Amino acid sequence: MYDDDTRKRRRLTKAVLLAAVPLAAAAALAGPLTGMFSGGPADGGPGGGRGRGASPAPAAPGTPAATGPGPSTSARSGAAPLAGKVVVIDPGHNPGNFQHTAEINETVDVGTHRKECDTTGTSTNAGYTEAAFTLDVSRRLRVVLQGKGATVEFTHDADRPFGPCVDERARIGNAAGGGEGADAVVSVHADGSAAGNRGHHVILPALVKAGAADTAPIVGPSRTLGERIQAAFARATGSAPANYLGGGTGLDVRDDLGGLNLSTVPKVFVECGNMRDPDDAALLADATWRQKAAQGIADGISTYLLG
């Protein structure tokens, strides 16, 4: 028989032991669960803005990068050199433009003159369209930039029937990042020149001051952005600068593009190759090469933003 004090001590000991059992079980489970979610593939999905959570598996070769918000492992671990930077990616044209020719033929003011809202873009002889190419490369580019910690916004993601028009594309970059404007805007394209004309080039804004256009504040930084992208693109893809313009520099200055004329933030166009040349077309149609193209553009943007 126990006295009252002894019984109280026994009941207290039993209560402590019973409480410890679920705590121990939870601790045992925590280890495996942490292991399940601490790793993951290097590439996250290409959803707009910064991602959170585990990354999905990389997309199969020949397909656009899988959708979803996950950043790279390096971004999750804190190695995010572009954190706080806002990049707008402008996929040239839109797959839906082919069904909306009347709408995209309407003209808009680009500062120096009026110009078509948009065009269908070009294609390879085999029918691979520029609109499909630019969307694929842009999605891959988004994945790489998000892996570096950047906030990425698109002018469109084939989520609208056509367009946007060139003036709206400029306004999207100007208003990005909550209205402060993007740190850099890159419009992704492929050229439609004559066969035999090969290579890549980057289009830079000319000095334009007319109507709603005033590129004076962005000419200098846009040139720096373009030079960084051209050099990185050449390294990543092994592609030579265009042999038909730019004097072998891979750079071309134009004053007739509304997307550049109306931009108030640093912006360039990247013409990744010539779809009408069979050798360039073979590269542009290759998923492995398109990944290199995206990496090269991302590397150029990164070196520009990091100074």
Side-chain angles (χ1 to χ4, degrees):
M1 180 179 293
Y2 300 106
D3 58 26
D4 289 342
D5 288 342
T6 300
R7 283 195 294 269
K8 289 177 182 179
R9 285 195 299 271
R10 292 283 183 170
R11 286 197 297 270
L12 178 60
T13 300
K14 182 177 181 181
V16 170
L17 290 173
L18 290 173
V21 171
L23 291 175
L29 287 172
L33 288 174
T34 301
M36 287 172 63
F37 293 107
S38 63
D43 287 344
R50 290 195 189 94
R52 293 287 188 268
S55 302
T63 63
T67 57
S72 70
T73 301
S74 62
R76 293 198 303 274
S77 65
L82 299 185
K85 301 295 185 180
V86 178
V87 180
V88 169
I89 302 304
D90 178 26
H93 314 290
N94 182 326
N97 283 1
F98 290 95
Q99 285 76 46
H100 294 273
T101 55
E103 292 90 340
I104 65 172
N105 284 334
E106 294 287 334
T107 62
V108 297
D109 182 8
V110 299
T112 54
H113 60 290
R114 294 188 69 83
K115 194 170 185 176
E116 293 83 359
C117 158
D118 201 1
T119 69
T120 60
T122 187
S123 66
T124 67
N125 292 333
Y128 181 47
T129 66
E130 182 184 1
F133 169 83
T134 63
L135 200 58
D136 181 90
V137 172
S138 295
R139 288 169 173 168
R140 295 171 187 272
L141 174 57
R142 178 166 54 187
V143 170
V144 179
L145 290 173
Q146 286 182 331
K148 296 174 180 287
T151 296
V152 180
E153 300 181 22
F154 267 32
T155 57
H156 79 94
D157 198 0
D159 51 355
R160 53 188 295 164
F162 63 91
C165 295
V166 294
D167 57 337
E168 184 182 353
R169 290 173 188 263
R171 289 195 296 271
I172 291 170
N174 297 344
E180 296 183 2
D183 294 291
V185 183
V186 175
S187 190
V188 180
H189 286 265
D191 210 356
S193 187
N197 291 343
R198 295 199 61 192
H200 65 272
H201 66 280
V202 180
I203 302 175
L204 314 176
L207 182 59
V208 173
K209 187 171 178 62
D214 182 4
T215 62
I218 69 163
V219 166
S222 294
R223 173 168 283 273
T224 302
L225 172 62
E227 289 173 343
R228 300 291 175 83
I229 290 176
Q230 190 280 319
F233 189 92
R235 285 193 299 269
T237 64
S239 167
N243 63 6
Y244 57 100
L245 50 72
T249 64
L251 302 173
D252 185 33
V253 179
R254 289 177 60 173
D255 65 1
D256 63 323
L257 299 176
L260 297 181
N261 288 357
L262 301 176
S263 182
T264 59
V265 294
K267 182 173 182 178
V268 299
F269 282 42
V270 181
E271 298 280 1
C272 298
N274 178 18
M275 288 196 133
R276 307 305 295 174
D277 177 81
D279 293 323
D280 268 12
L283 296 175
L284 298 168
D286 180 74
T288 300
W289 191 91
R290 293 197 300 271
Q291 185 65 37
K292 293 178 182 178
Q295 185 66 56
I297 297 171
D299 290 346
I301 294 171
S302 297
T303 58
Y304 167 77
L305 293 177
L306 295 174

